[in-house]
Amino acid sequence: MQDEKFKVKFNERKERVRVLFAMNNDHQTYVLFDILVSMLAEQLTQGPKALRGFDLIVCAINDSTPIDFSKIVEYYTTEELNRLGIEFVSVDCDSYVQKGNIERLKLNTQTMQAYASPGTRDNSLTCQQLFEQISDKSTTEDLMHIIREDIWIQTAREKNCTILIKPDSMTQMAVEILSDTIRGRGSEIPLKTQEVFIGDFEVIHPLRDVLNSEVKMYSRALSLDNLSPILQQTKSVSDVSTKNKTVREMVNEYFASLEVEYPETVSTVVKIGAKLGNSSGSQQIQHCKICKVPIYHDPKQWIEQITVPGSVPPQTQEEFANHQRYLDSINGAETEEDAQNDSNQPEEVKLCYGCMVTLRVSNVFELQWPSGPTEEQVLSEYVLDDDS
Amino acid sequence: MKRPKNLQKLCKECFYHVFETEIHLTIQKEKLFHAGETIAIGASGGKDSTVLASIMKTLNERYSYGLNLVLLSVDEGIVGYRDDSLATVKRNQKQYEMPLEIVSYKDLYNWTMDEIVSCTGVKSSCTYCGVLRRQALDRGALKLGIHHVVTGHNADDMAETVLMNLLRGDTARIESSVNVTTNSVGSPVKRSKPFKYTYQKEIVLYAHYKKLDYFSTECTYAPEAFRGTARVLLKNLESIRPSCIIDIIHSGEHFKLKPRKPRAVHNKKQNSAASKEVEVRPDGSVSLSKDGNRCERCGYLSMNRICKACILLEGLEANRPKVPLGESVLADSDGAAKLSKTLEQLSF
């Protein structure tokens, strides 16, 4: 955050950038928030005419681990936060789900073709109900991540912010890079872990050069651990059995185990992640219906090329009879299903490889998912409001 | 069975059909072979290479590829491990009716892996073995006049390589880590991996159901420590997400490095001087700009003046004891592999 746009201003007419701080309930968030508060406070000490360099809007999402703003206010005092012009926004996850239409997504696991039934509004659907559709913990974590990203982009737009600050440390970014690779989302790494520009909108990671262990030490030294009970938890991911871990938890644990013998691995992974670019040369087909990322290569075609869905043709009379019976049962089911589908008019939709696998492994017959615009579409509607 | 790749439920017969057809499709899609070509199958006697030999014979006959298949083995000189696995390869030779060629480290480099390990320790054994085996396979193939070697690297190996390249920050290999065919410019031998999309579990299952004769003991010299950590991670991940192997390969196929920024050229004179510059590395080797250069000592394909194998062998020669201590004891022990095998058989 050494850029000119964040520096102290001495002229009231000079426009300040509005920055949205994506707040999670972890050490990195509280540490980066403390650094930002110190930065703003220091700017105001640089002379009687000194004005803060940017407007900070702190956005927290009310989900399973809500953030208690009162503790933050108590720690930094209301007067100080008002003096620094810090605004707090709390977004309800349920209202995000209820705001848009809910589509019903289906994946034909034989053909790997996804279908979506037209969306309807459901004012009673909660975020928890949305995730209860899925039994697989890694999938839930993946989808939760998608929703949180979407909420931040939408809130940034609503609050007229041009910059989104993410509190991810170097360790966290390495975990994201490896987790994305493992989930088949390798092509999305440049979008998630680099300083991304979508038109005028910018996503930055100021803690990208700091290890998680260093973040925790800073938090302990400044007694920031008292700001949230989650920060005081001593339960390690190693206490959980392997079967109950998520992909991200497993990768997190892996990096923690490497830290002693191979401490350079985390920075190596982040560096190589920063060198990765979008799959150039290939044509962008569409955006994924679930995570909204651009699809450069058709995953359906890729899966078709590497797998054989067929089987050995029946040889004996008994096998022929069994096969015919099986076909009859399928045809019957399909007719019924088709009739139902006709009334709902499902349309073929595109899913990225990661979401396709996510749907397949979670064994969800029909996933209810909020439909919404892509990041580019959200941000293209963004207009700077002079009054704000 | 339920396939980890796509959760497809299959009976034994359909599994054979799907397994064989998928490998045939990979061969066809990548246009790996042409009729009349002689192919060397890298055979170690393990499950992957035994299944590869069996499948190649089956597909060659079923789809009339018109290939001449030869088994090519490397004897690294690990007593108690490789000699047993080579016995399996010799049995395979008779079962599949293919000619067999064995090249040994001792003949090629005047070192066995047992000698290397006793000289350098177990920790770096994979570094030496990897470099030397690659050359040995190429040399063995060329000895037979063969320019194409197929190896039994499977999807698990590919996924592990993708992870390793990420963890090591290997920009030179990150884009090509999952290529089915590797062929350097100027290299006389092409390498292919028809099992790129085939899970290790399915290979074991195929070998088991088909009652193939293979050697199932892992190399006695422990796998490289860092690679070992990646392997453990992969196995743990597979227990919660069986499709992760193929998902990692998908990611690996879509890794694309950002284009490098072109260097600013000041003037023509400077440019021409820069083009003549060569980087001299601390070990005395010189970095050359083009592929297809040869090692000054052994003539093997190398980016540098001296190839990696020659540098490693030079280091080994420098450390070879001039007067071996306890010669008789060493001669009896025959390396760590044999020793551990003897210890396993002891009873008290």
Side-chain angles (χ1 to χ4, degrees):
Chain A
M1 294 188 71
Q2 296 285 317
D3 204 279
E4 194 63 39
K5 58 186 168 234
F6 298 114
K7 283 186 179 166
V8 60
K9 310 278 183 302
F10 293 97
N11 186 350
E12 259 188 60
R13 283 181 201 165
K14 215 167 184 184
E15 203 174 273
R16 274 197 298 261
V17 285
R18 286 176 65 78
V19 174
L20 188 97
F21 178 55
M23 196 157 197
N24 298 316
N25 210 349
D26 54 23
H27 285 95
Q28 305 153 57
T29 300
Y30 289 100
V31 165
L32 184 57
F33 179 71
D34 187 74
I35 292 168
L36 291 173
V37 168
S38 309
M39 188 178 171
L40 286 170
E42 198 189 323
Q43 285 184 347
L44 295 185
T45 59
Q46 291 187 15
K49 286 186 178 175
L51 300 166
R52 61 175 188 273
F54 57 94
D55 290 333
L56 184 65
I57 295 108
V58 179
C59 175
I61 298 170
N62 263 338
D63 54 10
S64 53
T65 54
I67 292 165
D68 189 0
F69 282 144
S70 63
K71 286 212 171 180
I72 297 173
V73 174
E74 196 183 310
Y75 184 84
Y76 292 100
T77 73
T78 317
E79 295 75 36
E80 180 65 358
L81 293 173
N82 285 340
R83 189 174 75 92
L84 301 175
I86 299 173
E87 189 185 325
F88 289 92
V89 186
S90 182
V91 183
D92 189 32
C93 201
D94 294 344
S95 62
Y96 164 80
V97 174
Q98 290 155 8
K99 199 163 63 179
N101 285 343
I102 300 294
E103 283 180 332
R104 288 169 193 280
L105 295 168
K106 251 185 198 179
L107 180 75
N108 183 333
T109 47
Q110 297 277 313
T111 60
M112 299 309 282
Q113 177 60 55
Y115 299 91
S117 300
T120 50
R121 267 207 165 156
D122 187 350
N123 291 333
S124 60
L125 188 72
T126 63
C127 220
Q128 201 184 339
Q129 284 171 337
L130 201 69
F131 297 128
E132 273 171 4
Q133 299 175 89
I134 308 136
S135 55
D136 179 53
K137 278 178 89 179
S138 291
T139 309
T140 311
E141 184 188 64
D142 196 18
L143 295 179
M144 209 180 273
H145 188 77
I146 292 168
I147 286 208
R148 290 177 75 88
E149 292 288 313
D150 223 20
I151 289 178
W152 279 319
I153 294 285
Q154 287 201 10
T155 314
R157 179 197 157 267
E158 281 163 19
K159 293 285 169 189
N160 282 339
C161 296
T162 47
I163 293 166
L164 174 64
I165 295 185
K166 287 197 181 169
D168 299 339
S169 66
M170 192 201 280
T171 314
Q172 187 58 36
M173 291 179 83
V175 169
E176 287 301 319
I177 291 171
L178 210 59
S179 304
D180 275 347
T181 305
I182 290 160
R183 284 192 296 246
R185 295 186 184 277
S187 57
E188 295 167 32
I189 291 173
L191 298 171
K192 290 185 182 172
T193 52
Q194 294 173 13
E195 313 291 285
V196 181
F197 290 90
I198 309 165
D200 289 339
F201 191 80
E202 197 181 344
V203 184
I204 58 170
H205 305 86
L207 292 182
R208 64 175 305 135
D209 294 324
V210 187
L211 289 169
N212 225 2
S213 50
E214 293 170 316
V215 167
K216 282 183 183 167
M217 264 186 251
Y218 182 99
S219 174
R220 219 172 298 136
L222 292 178
S223 307
L224 298 177
D225 289 1
N226 301 328
L227 292 176
S228 171
I230 285 186
L231 305 189
Q232 293 162 12
Q233 278 180 7
T234 50
K235 197 183 167 193
S236 162
V237 72
S238 316
D239 301 337
V240 185
S241 76
T242 307
K243 285 268 178 191
N244 283 327
K245 281 176 196 159
T246 63
V247 169
R248 200 174 277 128
E249 280 171 350
M250 228 173 238
V251 175
N252 226 328
E253 192 187 9
Y254 176 67
F255 277 117
S257 70
L258 282 185
E259 212 168 311
V260 183
E261 263 192 282
Y262 309 98
E264 71 287 351
T265 315
V266 168
S267 64
T268 307
V269 172
V270 174
K271 273 182 206 158
I272 199 161
K275 286 178 187 168
L276 293 175
N278 290 329
S279 303
S280 57
S282 48
Q283 283 195 338
Q284 182 182 321
I285 308 167
Q286 261 178 342
H287 283 84
C288 173
K289 201 71 185 163
I290 295 178
C291 67
K292 321 280 188 314
V293 298
I295 303 168
Y296 295 102
H297 303 269
D298 188 2
K300 184 175 167 275
Q301 201 184 344
W302 189 81
I303 293 173
E304 277 169 2
Q305 278 176 350
I306 65 157
T307 49
V308 175
S311 53
V312 181
Q315 311 276 328
T316 60
Q317 273 206 332
E318 191 190 350
E319 283 174 359
F320 270 110
N322 285 340
H323 184 63
Q324 193 53 48
R325 255 192 300 166
Y326 168 71
L327 287 178
D328 291 345
S329 68
I330 283 189
N331 289 341
E334 267 185 1
T335 323
E336 201 178 305
E337 198 181 309
D338 286 346
Q340 194 188 350
N341 287 347
D342 281 345
S343 61
N344 290 333
Q345 295 166 336
E347 56 163 331
E348 284 189 6
V349 287
K350 291 283 176 195
L351 294 183
C352 69
Y353 181 82
C355 290
M356 202 175 258
V357 175
T358 288
L359 267 191
R360 193 175 61 188
V361 298
S362 59
N363 269 333
V364 190
F365 174 68
E366 199 176 63
L367 178 76
Q368 292 189 63
W369 191 252
S371 65
T374 62
E375 279 184 11
E376 285 87 350
Q377 284 166 343
V378 171
L379 295 166
S380 65
E381 290 171 26
Y382 168 77
V383 180
L384 258 183
D385 186 358
D386 293 333
D387 300 332
S388 61
Chain B
M1 68 162 287
K2 198 174 181 182
R3 300 190 77 196
K5 199 195 271 184
N6 57 359
L7 310 177
Q8 194 180 9
K9 286 173 187 162
L10 295 173
C11 67
K12 196 161 82 176
E13 289 305 317
C14 290
F15 166 65
Y16 291 154
H17 167 77
V18 166
F19 184 88
E20 288 161 2
T21 314
E22 274 182 10
I23 294 161
H24 168 64
L25 290 181
T26 307
I27 291 170
Q28 275 201 319
K29 185 189 145 206
E30 302 287 339
K31 296 187 180 85
L32 291 188
F33 314 119
H34 58 82
E37 197 178 4
T38 305
I39 305 291
I41 300 169
S44 65
K47 57 188 182 326
D48 299 320
S49 58
T50 306
V51 172
L52 182 66
S54 164
I55 280 274
M56 286 301 295
K57 185 177 166 62
T58 309
L59 297 181
N60 193 27
E61 286 164 4
R62 187 183 298 164
Y63 298 104
S64 309
Y65 290 161
L67 301 174
N68 306 311
L69 300 172
V70 177
L71 292 174
L72 176 62
S73 287
V74 178
D75 180 5
E76 295 95 346
I78 306 173
V79 180
Y81 165 69
R82 186 50 87 208
D83 41 2
D84 287 354
S85 67
L86 283 177
T88 314
V89 178
K90 283 170 191 163
R91 287 199 299 275
N92 288 341
Q93 179 203 3
K94 285 176 191 156
Q95 288 154 4
Y96 305 128
E97 294 161 341
M98 291 177 195
L100 167 69
E101 175 71 25
I102 300 174
V103 284
S104 74
Y105 280 9
K106 191 70 184 170
D107 293 343
L108 288 172
Y109 312 112
N110 197 26
W111 282 90
T112 65
M113 267 317 287
D114 283 338
E115 287 168 348
I116 292 173
V117 170
S118 68
C119 192
T120 63
V122 183
K123 256 195 158 180
S124 53
S125 56
C126 292
T127 312
Y128 284 91
C129 196
V131 173
L132 299 182
R133 190 173 42 227
R134 192 183 165 79
Q135 268 206 18
L137 266 179
D138 282 4
R139 285 173 193 274
L142 289 175
K143 197 173 151 191
L144 300 169
I146 298 171
H147 298 278
H148 194 167
V149 177
V150 286
T151 55
H153 288 92
N154 55 44
D156 297 46
D157 299 328
M158 298 296 238
E160 200 179 292
T161 307
V162 173
L163 290 186
M164 287 301 293
N165 286 339
L166 256 186
L167 295 167
R168 282 181 175 154
D170 197 336
T171 45
R173 293 195 176 96
I174 192 97
E175 283 182 288
S176 59
S177 42
V178 286
N179 285 358
V180 174
T181 307
T182 44
N183 192 14
S184 310
V185 179
S187 169
V189 182
K190 188 169 100 172
R191 286 159 178 277
S192 304
K193 299 158 188 162
F195 286 170
K196 177 186 169 181
Y197 298 115
T198 313
Y199 270 55
Q200 195 181 59
K201 272 182 186 169
E202 294 190 355
I203 291 173
V204 175
L205 213 61
Y206 186 86
H208 174 75
Y209 283 139
K210 287 270 181 183
K211 294 189 173 61
L212 300 183
D213 181 7
Y214 67 93
F215 182 73
S216 57
T217 311
E218 216 177 304
C219 178
T220 328
Y221 299 124
E224 191 191 341
F226 190 49
R227 186 174 276 271
T229 64
R231 198 169 288 177
V232 172
L233 173 71
L234 206 57
K235 287 291 150 211
N236 287 340
L237 285 166
E238 226 187 320
S239 68
I240 58 161
R241 196 180 169 108
S243 69
C244 75
I245 305 265
I246 216 76
D247 299 347
I248 293 172
I249 294 177
H250 182 269
S251 290
E253 282 191 12
H254 295 98
F255 281 156
K256 192 96 191 157
L257 290 172
K258 279 184 204 166
R260 281 188 182 179
K261 283 177 191 166
R263 283 183 185 174
V265 179
H266 299 298
N267 57 47
K268 269 188 178 178
K269 210 175 178 182
Q270 268 188 352
N271 193 27
S272 64
S275 65
K276 284 175 190 169
E277 279 180 9
V278 283
E279 181 199 346
V280 181
R281 296 195 172 133
D283 58 8
S285 65
V286 181
S287 172
L288 301 171
S289 54
K290 283 179 187 171
D291 249 358
N293 293 301
R294 305 261 153 210
C295 170
E296 276 184 12
R297 288 188 193 165
C298 66
Y300 186 72
L301 190 79
S302 170
M303 279 288 281
N304 301 320
R305 193 167 57 85
I306 301 163
C307 72
K308 183 83 179 158
C310 286
I311 291 171
L312 291 176
L313 289 169
E314 194 181 357
L316 283 172
E317 287 299 338
N319 288 319
R320 199 198 281 267
K322 287 191 177 75
V323 184
L325 290 173
E327 201 171 353
S328 57
V329 177
L330 277 174
D332 287 346
S333 68
D334 282 336
K338 179 88 175 186
L339 185 67
S340 60
K341 210 169 182 185
T342 315
L343 285 171
E344 277 168 18
Q345 286 164 357
L346 284 179
S347 61
F348 298 97

